[in-house]
Amino acid sequence: MTVPAAPGLPYQRARLTLALLAFAQFIVAVDYNIVYVALPDIGVELGFTSQSIQWVVSAYAVAFGGLLLLGGRASDRLGARRVFSVALLVYGLSSLAGGLASTPGVLVTARTVQGIGGALLFPAILKLINTIYEEGTERTQALAVWSVAASGGLAAGALLGGLLTDWFGWESVFFVNVPLTAVALLGVSRLLPADPPRAHGLKGFDLPGALIATAGVALVVFGLASGSEVGWTAARTTSSIIVGAVLLAGFVLVELRTRDPLAPPRLFRQRTLVIAMLAVLLLVGSLAGEYYLFTTYLQNVLDFSPLQAGLAFLPLTVISMVGGAAAVTLLTRYGLRTTMAAGLFVGGVGIAAVTAGVSVDGSYPALLPGLVLWGIGGGVAFTAVFVAASAGVAPAEQGVANALASTFQQIGTALGLAVIVAVVTARPHGPASLDATATGVVDALRVGGWVSAAICAAGTVVALALARTPRPAGQPAAQPAGQPASAPGEPADPQHQPV
């Protein structure tokens, strides 16, 4: 894969800068998967119940999803390099606290703070990529490297989680982040360009919007995460989702009346950004559900150990990395609409093929053809979605634009997992039943798999709503020197017409 140059930076420094940003994304991605394999040991040693252990994962997800918009706007207002540095520090210290935790409350609190660090770090990384590298081929190449790092982190997380837990205990899955964040911090002053002067800083910052959006998204994610624990009709689940939805509706009203809104309403008039938000929600919704189904099948039906299950994910994630790298060529040759739709379609076909390969007396090799298609399609689609989210957005709003897409990514993960778990647990004799049978488990997993494939197919339809591009995505129209690809709220090309 070609490593892009960056205007104003020597080529070697541009490569090292992108390596630093990709490494930071790798850290976030590793932590997404690394905890899962350690959950049984954590539950036993710290005294979690079988219902409460999920909050080791969900506490991170709620904080991460709820604070992404705030993190994105902070990068725009305070400077992406500054927020990047603070986020790494928060991430490292909270990981250290997690490894030292001796009670469930301390660990869940540490995971919540870790989620805050992730919510600051994720949009800062994308803001830096989208402002350092020019829109077009250079930015597409940089985002492809970012996507490959994310896929590599997911693979490493699944594998490291098993290895570290077996060799050093569950604490090591948290301690490993400490040296990683320290290394990343060392490169900040040497590689990242200084933040531009702060014209406003926190003056005029949309604090009401930030608080309402954070509470609204966090409550929706919390409610979706609670459904599988206490039931979908329980007061905690329904009240969280309803109140969260009301707050998000209130957030829209506040943004329409605020002089300097957290999420400028004009961004929602950019067709490419809106479609990217919907597409990523459906893409990760299908993937989150299918990850759950795949893991359940490996361990409950094929009797894989946690370490074997982690290794079984390697082909999928390596192929996803190949798909992310291939997205550069596809985007340049065929444009956003075709590439995104094709990635989602191929990913959905792959999930359907994996589902067809699931059986009581099945085998892992029977799943490999579907895994190949799933990995390639998912890798291509994920890169294309975030290229779309940044396209035509002014540099001063790159942080919040990518935070919007990332927020929909987190909601999609929670929603997709909630839907698939609900489908699976509703089946008789399924994995959640006291009278579970092998046939019942496989039947439940297959139904969930078809639903997951259908969600991905819906994403294909959404991607086809993009306007056709009259030129390849990698060949942007010339811009006067020193000007952004488009003025705030104005379309850069026919892709960015109002919805």
Side-chain angles (χ1 to χ4, degrees), residues 67 95 163 211 424 453:
L67 289 163
S95 297
L163 293 176
L211 294 175
V424 170

Side-chain angles (χ1 to χ4, degrees), residues 203-484:
K203 184 180 179 181
F205 185 78
D206 181 18
L207 183 60
L211 294 175
I212 294 171
T214 298
V217 175
L219 281 171
V220 169
V221 175
F222 178 81
L224 293 171
S226 297
S228 59
E229 179 189 359
V230 298
W232 294 103
T233 58
R236 189 174 94 186
T237 303
T238 56
S239 61
S240 295
I241 294 175
I242 292 171
V243 174
V246 170
L247 287 173
L248 290 177
F251 170 70
V252 174
L253 295 177
V254 169
E255 297 306 275
L256 291 173
R257 291 169 169 79
T258 301
R259 179 177 299 176
D260 188 8
L262 183 71
R266 60 178 169 269
L267 290 177
F268 295 94
R269 295 194 293 270
Q270 295 221 34
R271 173 179 290 192
T272 307
L273 175 58
V274 172
I275 290 175
M277 289 157 58
L278 296 175
V280 77
L281 182 142
L282 294 168
L283 171 64
V284 301
S286 67
L287 296 183
E290 190 60 23
Y291 284 145
Y292 163 77
L293 298 173
F294 186 49
T295 302
T296 303
Y297 178 65
L298 292 175
Q299 298 192 59
N300 290 17
V301 179
L302 299 186
D303 293 322
F304 278 33
S305 69
L307 180 56
Q308 288 174 320
L311 290 170
F313 271 93
L314 279 178
L316 173 64
T317 46
V318 169
I319 294 166
S320 296
M321 294 167 70
V322 174
V328 176
T329 300
L330 295 173
L331 286 164
T332 301
R333 183 170 298 177
Y334 301 109
L336 274 173
R337 182 177 185 267
T338 301
T339 301
M340 190 189 301
L344 283 157
F345 178 76
V346 172
V349 170
I351 291 173
V354 169
T355 301
V358 169
S359 64
V360 173
D361 56 352
S363 65
Y364 182 71
L367 307 177
L368 286 175
L371 291 176
V372 170
L373 293 174
W374 174 11
I376 291 175
V380 169
F382 192 76
T383 302
V385 162
F386 279 94
V387 169
S390 66
V393 178
E397 293 175 343
Q398 282 289 343
V400 71
N402 284 286
L404 283 168
S406 304
T407 298
F408 271 68
Q409 177 188 353
Q410 295 305 311
I411 293 175
T413 298
L415 182 59
L417 186 58
V419 168
I420 297 302
V421 169
V423 168
V424 170
T425 54
R427 301 295 296 177
H429 313 297
S433 303
L434 295 176
D435 58 346
T437 64
T439 302
V441 170
V442 167
D443 171 71
L445 296 180
R446 286 172 67 91
V447 172
W450 296 126
V451 173
S452 184
I455 293 172
C456 211
T460 305
V461 176
V462 168
L464 288 173
L466 282 169
R468 294 181 183 275
T469 43
R471 55 178 172 76
Q475 299 174 13
Q479 298 288 333
Q483 290 191 9

Side-chain angles (χ1 to χ4, degrees), residues 2 6 12 30 54 86 101 103 117 173 192 315 327 395 408 416 440 461:
T2 304
Q12 186 63 27
V30 162
Q54 71 157 330
V86 171
T103 65
V173 303
L192 296 185
F408 271 68
V461 176

